[in-house]
Amino acid sequence: MKPISELLSNAVARANIGQQVEAAHVVAAAEQAIHELFPHETATVRALSVKNKVLTISCVSAALAQEIKMREKVITERVNRECGAVLMERIRYLL
């Protein structure tokens, strides 16, 4: 009997959705990292997508975007550590 992790890996490879699964993992890890660093801002900042190792987030204010920008390196390191690979290199901000 095969372990479920092996079965899932094979299914992802057969369906050719590896990049989408990685992107979803990056977005989830980024949401968690941002909300841990900014617990009072959980309703005002959202991780939206990742493309070409650039995470796009939405913020309600420029001040909040600046705060996140100052901690961009910490967020990037947390996300990459959680994902086990360098899947994110920088953050793009939408206001």
Side-chain angles (χ1 to χ4, degrees):
M1 187 179 284
K2 293 183 179 181
I4 195 157
S5 62
E6 184 178 331
L7 294 172
L8 286 173
S9 294
N10 291 339
V12 166
R14 280 193 314 272
N16 199 25
I17 58 171
Q19 287 182 322
Q20 292 91 335
V21 171
E22 284 181 348
H25 194 193
V26 169
V27 169
E31 284 271 331
Q32 181 180 359
I34 291 167
H35 292 163
E36 285 174 1
L37 292 170
F38 303 95
H40 57 285
E41 299 291 349
T42 57
T44 59
V45 61
R46 295 286 317 244
L48 300 176
S49 64
V50 65
K51 185 175 180 182
N52 298 326
K53 297 186 180 183
V54 178
L55 175 71
T56 301
I57 64 168
S58 67
C59 300
V60 296
S61 71
L64 178 58
Q66 184 64 31
E67 288 289 324
I68 294 170
K69 179 69 175 168
M70 289 191 301
R71 294 199 175 167
E72 183 173 339
K73 184 176 179 182
V74 172
I75 294 167
T76 302
E77 288 172 352
R78 285 187 184 191
V79 169
N80 289 331
R81 183 172 48 245
E82 173 69 28
C83 294
V86 178
L87 300 177
M88 181 189 131
E89 293 178 346
R90 66 182 199 88
I91 299 175
R92 184 177 139 224
Y93 305 89
L94 296 178
L95 298 175

